[in-house]
DNA sequence: GGGCCCGCAGGG
DNA sequence: CCCTGCGGGCCC
């Protein structure tokens, strides 16, 4: 039995994947090998899902090797957008830093925010109360910030001028967006690393309702998005001007190209296409297809099996890729 | 672990 | 000034 929500989600994903495949013809996509295969605790036998409904292009399979999993997204039918918060999960966690580094990366890439003051952290982002020395309102790379730079939180990312807002996913100016953060807030977005779809902002009841007023920073989708919205208009402009956009991937994204912890600068992309489509929950959303500019360091790939010292996290993470087969 | 609500930076 | 935003910390 597949719920209407799940059906819609899979349809949207498939549509977005097809679009990305059409845009990605001939695109070179070097990736870094994941760090050594990790051991997973032998717990209860798990059903491995074989994906059929969202086939990847040959090109993608070549890159991903034997991994042909669908994006790891939340599959809850009841409260999908509330199940991704885990900001305090690192409290007291001890991580072996050396094992978190990928060989061959231009800068050490961490897979865990257990890293404190690591050499891969942004120059200012690791220092409390540091003052910004570069202007985030510019297009292209920020001087001194290498692709692969990692921050524990978005505060550091902002201090290093890569993405200014602490909360919003889109930042920009008259010629288009300067930077975006992939944060996994939209379940039908597809991330193939060198290409990804991105959903605009707006259409959320941040103030709550009249009877129950709130002052939230994020909230579930409750109305249509449109291109008149400031940030959505910026990204549409980006599609016209082809100005480069800094892209940061955050741990909340379930993509295999996203860090499992913290936030990582993944370099410059352009917006190839902008359109409006029905999102999940019936509301229209603004969608964008991003494409990575060539000549940048390869993208790291998240290790498949994460060796968590605490088992509850391990189980929880793994369950997100399980699902009843819809056959 | 979930709900609440805060500061902050940016855009208009 | 105002309002907004795919954070995050605190309290429960």
């Amino acid at each position: 039995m597949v719920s209407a929500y799940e059906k819609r989600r899979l349809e949207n994903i498939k549509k977005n994947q097809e679009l990305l495949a059409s845009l990605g013809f001939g695109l070179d996509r070097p990736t870094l090998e994941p760090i050594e295969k990790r051991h997973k605790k032998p717990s209860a036998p798990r059903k491995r899902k074989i994906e059929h409904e969202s086939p990847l292009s040959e090109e993608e399979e070549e890159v991903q090797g034997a991994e042909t999993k669908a994006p790891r997204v939340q599959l809850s039918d009841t409260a999908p957008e509330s199940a991704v918060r885990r900001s305090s999960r690192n409290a007291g966690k001890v991580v072996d830093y050396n094992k978190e580094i990928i060989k061959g990366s231009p800068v050490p890439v961490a897979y865990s925010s257990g890293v404190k003051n690591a050499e891969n952290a942004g120059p200012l982002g690791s220092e409390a109360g540091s003052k910004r020395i570069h202007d985030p309102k510019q297009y292209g790379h920020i001087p001194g910030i290498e692709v692969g730079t990692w921050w524990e939180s978005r505060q550091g990312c902002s201090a290093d001028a890569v993405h200014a807002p602490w909360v919003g996913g889109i930042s920009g100016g008259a010629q288009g967006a300067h930077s975006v953060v992939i944060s996994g807030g939209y379940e039908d977005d597809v991330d193939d690393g060198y290409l990804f779809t991105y959903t605009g902002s707006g259409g959320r009841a941040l103030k709550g309702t009249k009877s129950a007023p709130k002052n939230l920073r994020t909230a579930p989708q409750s109305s249509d998005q449109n291109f008149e919205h400031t940030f959505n208009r910026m990204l549409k402009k980006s599609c016209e001007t082809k100005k480069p956009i800094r892209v940061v991937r955050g741990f909340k994204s379930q993509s295999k190209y996203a860090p499992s912890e913290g936030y990582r600068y993944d370099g410059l992309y352009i917006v190839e296409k902008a359109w409006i489509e029905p999102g999940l929950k019936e509301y229209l959303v603004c969608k964008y297809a991003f494409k990575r500019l060539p000549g940048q360091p390869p993208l790291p790939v998240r290790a498949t099996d994460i060796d968590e010292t605490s088992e509850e996290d391990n189980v929880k993470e793994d369950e997100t890729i399980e699902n009843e087969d819809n056959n």
Side-chain angles (χ1 to χ4, degrees):
Chain A
M1 179 58 190
V2 178
S3 70
Y5 181 90
E6 178 67 1
K7 189 174 174 223
R8 190 182 194 88
R9 191 181 69 83
L10 293 173
E11 281 172 1
N12 284 8
I13 286 175
K14 188 179 179 193
K15 221 164 50 175
N16 286 333
Q17 279 179 331
E18 286 169 356
L19 175 68
L20 292 190
S22 74
L23 295 176
F25 183 75
L27 184 61
D28 188 30
R29 310 184 198 192
T31 55
L32 292 169
E33 283 300 306
I35 48 181
E36 68 215 60
K37 285 290 176 191
R38 306 201 181 190
H39 297 291
K40 200 191 295 180
K41 283 199 176 128
S43 50
R46 297 194 184 103
K47 181 172 57 170
R48 276 284 169 198
K49 186 185 181 188
I50 313 291
E51 278 299 334
H52 293 304
E53 68 281 88
S54 51
L56 300 164
S57 71
E58 289 177 7
E59 197 173 41
E60 287 163 326
E61 287 192 5
E62 187 185 331
V63 170
Q64 302 197 157
E67 288 293 321
T68 53
K69 261 181 245 163
R72 298 171 63 186
V73 292
Q74 294 291 334
L75 297 174
S76 165
D77 287 342
T78 50
E81 57 278 305
S82 65
V84 293
R85 300 190 55 161
R86 40 175 188 166
S87 57
S88 61
R89 70 194 292 254
N90 305 310
K93 196 164 155 189
V94 178
V95 174
D96 182 351
Y97 175 60
N98 290 325
K99 283 190 176 174
E100 302 293 325
I101 301 304
I102 291 191
K103 293 182 180 66
S105 169
V107 296
V109 175
Y111 279 83
S112 167
S113 63
V115 182
K116 307 289 189 209
N117 298 319
E119 50 189 296
N120 62 320
L124 295 180
S126 58
E127 297 169 22
S130 51
K131 203 166 183 202
R132 191 183 282 157
I133 55 176
H134 291 292
D135 182 11
K137 294 171 66 58
Q138 57 178 301
Y139 296 96
H141 295 296
I142 301 299
I145 308 295
E146 295 177 77
V147 174
T149 299
W150 179 91
W151 301 269
E152 184 171 13
S153 82
R154 286 179 56 170
Q155 188 171 354
C157 186
S158 177
D160 283 320
V162 171
H163 183 75
W166 285 26
V167 176
I170 305 167
S171 178
Q175 305 241 64
H178 299 124
S179 56
V180 299
V181 176
I182 299 176
S183 199
Y186 295 87
E187 295 183 273
D188 47 357
D189 276 334
V190 174
D191 185 3
D192 286 336
Y194 285 75
L195 292 159
F196 63 88
T197 63
Y198 194 81
T199 303
S201 56
R204 296 167 184 249
L206 298 174
K207 292 176 160 182
T209 62
K210 278 177 193 163
S211 55
K214 294 185 191 253
N215 184 21
L216 301 171
R217 297 297 177 269
T218 65
Q221 206 73 36
S222 57
S223 62
D224 289 344
Q225 294 182 2
N226 58 64
F227 284 131
E228 281 70 60
H229 183 283
T230 308
F231 299 125
N232 299 341
R233 192 175 59 235
M234 278 180 195
L235 283 179
K236 195 164 193 291
K237 188 75 178 177
S238 294
C239 187
E240 298 160 11
T241 62
K242 299 299 177 201
K243 285 282 186 184
I245 301 172
R246 294 183 296 275
V247 169
V248 173
R249 281 186 172 83
F251 70 95
K252 286 184 184 175
S253 166
Q254 300 297 320
S255 160
K256 64 180 288 191
Y257 297 97
S260 62
E261 302 291 346
Y263 297 84
R264 188 188 65 223
Y265 176 47
D266 279 344
L268 302 178
Y269 289 67
I270 58 168
V271 176
E272 276 284 283
K273 190 175 163 68
W275 71 102
I276 289 184
E277 71 178 27
L280 300 167
K281 309 178 83 174
E282 305 176 6
Y283 300 111
L284 295 178
V285 293
C286 298
K287 299 281 284 197
Y288 308 89
F290 280 67
K291 186 176 192 174
R292 198 170 195 239
L293 291 175
Q296 303 188 77
L299 283 176
V301 176
R302 188 192 293 191
T304 312
D305 299 332
I306 296 175
D307 183 17
E308 296 279 359
T309 43
S310 59
E311 192 160 13
E312 62 276 10
D313 266 356
N314 190 15
V315 171
K316 182 142 198 170
E317 289 250 332
D318 211 63
E319 275 176 351
T320 62
I321 61 173
E322 284 180 13
N323 185 20
E324 64 274 14
D325 292 329
N326 55 341
N327 49 18

